[in-house]
Amino acid sequence: MAKDIDYSVYLVTGRDLLPPGKDYLESLEESIQGGVTVVQVREKDADTGEFIKIATESKRICDKYNVPLIINDRVDVALAVGADGVHVGQDDMEITLARKLLHAGTVLGLSCNTAEHVAEAVKLGVDYVGIGAVWGTKTKNLTNPIIGVRGVGERLKELDGTGIKAIAIGGIKSSNLWRTLHGSISVSGRALDGVAVVSDIVASRSPKEAATALSNIVRAFKDDQSQVRSLSTKNGVIDKVSEFVNKIRTVGPLVHQITNNVVATQSANVTLAVGASPIMATEPVEMEDLAKICGALLINIGTLRADGLDGPRLAGSFANKYRKPIVFDPVGVGATSFRKECVKELLDLFQVGVIKGNAGEMAALAGTSEVLSKGVDSVGSGFRDPVSFVRDFAKRERCVVVLTGPIDYISDGTSVAVLENGDPLLGKITGSGCMLGSIIAAFCATAMHEAEVQDNERTRIVDLERLFVGAIAGVLVLTVASEIVAKRPEVKGPGTFLPALIDGLAGVSAQDVRSHAKVTIY
Ligand code: 3NM
Ligand code: MG
């Protein structure tokens, strides 16, 4: 039996990346003190004697902290220093031969890029696979394609039913680590066991801090994964929604919104009307301060400019860092390649909690031509099987998905809520979808506030169960309010509907929502 290794923060050494004046062994020791759980000594240019010397010195430090040591590529060096394992690449010694030469119980790891590599690793019975490259990297000349977090998730699925551990490698940093871990969970629910990192630790002047930042995120992620609740019966959901509608005015969550200039004023007004406080800020330098104090972040790309991307980039990264839910509204994403590229970049940079869009936007995001869009509006009636679509898409994106239209579909990847409320006038004013994003963000903030208070602990970065109810609450409050005010005598058309809707949102009660809600949960 191979040794049980904690793969959480897997340091791969890279002496050539050390900052000037930083000693290799000092950097290694500091990184272990920061939370590195396993070390791979990787020497691509050293002669055998030098490699053995470096490995021996490294092992002395690893032993002091009881951290396992793995040697890259060289079975002879591993044997010479008594390493715990060997990591081989696709072009290195065959696993069966390495196994034959090494002592029983030596850990064997294999670099994998393609599905075939993983299938081979399973057949050969390696102890772990290193999947990559996830992101671009300057540390190694990549000969295989970058696979992204979704590619990692597809490789992970191939490991179902095996005991093989998995780490990801390539361009991983604490700034993209939340997204790396979350975005790579396979559709079967398999998550990474850890991440392998070179430059984010080695090139740092303070490798201890760099390793601590990585380690904190991996540990928090693993804690999150171990606690999963569910409350998806219809009554359970409506009870929770009523509770949030009652609670939002007491909580009064601050909702940071980066939205478009067509709707900014009315979005701020509806946020106030439902009982939350809006702050509409776009300046990159204030994003960290805002992430600390706000209860949720809304990012709406409606009038995004190339020179305005730093705001959403930083806001999203800091929202992940401070564990605030992100509601993402990819307005008109199907319309232009600029929008598509922005959305792709942003969704790869941070982990969102809710994605909201109409059928055209969702189809563009999911990469299907089943639904066409014209500008920001969706064409036709939507998807053939919207229930399956939202469930699969939510599962793939690891977040709650809200598909809007005459009927709204919401999923957390497991349950699907079908909501049939709303008045046709909602489709006759501009920005009702954008308002919905703001209201969903306000209710997600309320849901997460409850988590903080009840659990008296760090909230999960994507608490699917709570965000699912938060999203349903947001949709119900807007659509029920629209039904109520559309019947008022002063409402004669879209122009009089908008102010009446703001009044309606300010007055809608938990009882109104309960009595009007047309909800089916699948
Ligand atoms: N192997 P950094 S990427 C050693 O894709 C290595 O197999 C890779 O370095 C692979 O953390 C890589 O600095 C380098 O990006 C990773
Ligand atoms: Mg190699």
Side-chain angles (χ1 to χ4, degrees), residues 200-341:
D200 197 45
I201 296 178
V202 178
S204 169
R205 290 228 141 264
S206 140
K208 184 174 173 179
E209 276 170 37
T212 303
L214 292 161
S215 164
N216 286 344
I217 295 172
V218 177
R219 287 194 195 294
F221 173 76
K222 289 189 173 182
D223 284 353
D224 285 2
Q225 292 306 108
S226 65
Q227 38 160 325
V228 176
R229 295 175 292 263
S230 190
L231 33 80
S232 12
T233 65
K234 179 178 169 181
N235 281 336
V237 169
I238 296 291
D239 286 347
K240 272 312 229 191
V241 167
S242 305
E243 199 184 311
F244 292 162
V245 173
N246 282 327
K247 218 175 242 176
I248 190 165
R249 288 174 205 281
T250 343
V251 175
L254 184 62
V255 183
H256 175 201
Q257 313 188 26
I258 297 180
T259 191
N260 67 73
N261 55 34
V262 180
V263 302
T265 311
Q266 74 198 44
S267 294
N269 272 318
V270 299
T271 308
L272 277 171
V274 299
S277 298
I279 180 159
M280 321 299 279
T282 55
E283 170 52 47
V285 299
E286 59 183 350
M287 293 306 161
E288 182 159 17
D289 288 344
L290 288 172
K292 288 180 192 164
I293 57 171
C294 73
L297 168 70
L298 170 80
I299 296 178
N300 172 312
I301 65 147
T303 51
L304 192 60
R305 293 171 49 100
D307 60 6
L309 262 166
D310 278 348
R313 279 186 189 118
L314 287 168
S317 302
F318 285 124
N320 275 178
K321 178 172 176 192
Y322 294 102
R323 314 178 72 83
K324 304 301 169 69
I326 303 172
V327 176
F328 193 77
D329 191 345
V331 179
V333 59
T336 68
S337 48
F338 169 72
R339 284 174 197 244
K340 269 186 213 128
E341 277 153 29

Side-chain angles (χ1 to χ4, degrees), residues 312-468:
R313 279 186 189 118
L314 287 168
S317 302
F318 285 124
N320 275 178
K321 178 172 176 192
Y322 294 102
R323 314 178 72 83
K324 304 301 169 69
I326 303 172
V327 176
F328 193 77
D329 191 345
V331 179
V333 59
T336 68
S337 48
F338 169 72
R339 284 174 197 244
K340 269 186 213 128
E341 277 153 29
C342 290
V343 165
K344 184 179 183 311
E345 187 207 312
L346 294 174
L347 289 180
D348 267 347
L349 186 62
F350 42 76
Q351 178 62 42
V352 300
V354 179
I355 299 178
K356 179 211 81 68
N358 61 31
E361 289 159 351
M362 288 302 185
L365 270 189
T368 145
S369 55
E370 199 182 311
V371 179
L372 297 175
S373 55
K374 185 180 97 196
V376 297
D377 296 316
S378 169
V379 173
S381 58
F383 293 89
R384 275 188 289 278
D385 181 0
V387 170
S388 303
F389 171 79
V390 287
R391 186 185 281 127
D392 294 347
F393 192 47
K395 200 167 237 180
R396 192 186 100 181
E397 291 301 313
R398 306 298 306 174
C399 68
V400 170
V401 166
V402 180
L403 169 63
T404 59
I407 300 176
D408 304 301
Y409 300 86
I410 305 179
S411 180
D412 59 1
T414 310
S415 308
V416 178
V418 178
L419 281 62
E420 299 182 62
N421 292 96
D423 189 274
L425 277 170
L426 280 175
K428 302 275 186 258
I429 55 170
T430 192
S432 54
C434 302
M435 289 183 201
L436 178 60
S438 300
I439 299 172
I440 289 175
F443 279 100
C444 287
T446 308
M448 296 313 295
H449 177 267
E450 184 199 62
E452 256 170 66
V453 174
Q454 276 187 357
D455 305 347
N456 193 22
E457 62 179 40
R458 198 182 36 73
T459 55
R460 283 189 282 160
I461 191 154
V462 178
D463 186 328
L464 285 173
E465 297 76 30
R466 286 182 198 280
L467 298 181
F468 182 54

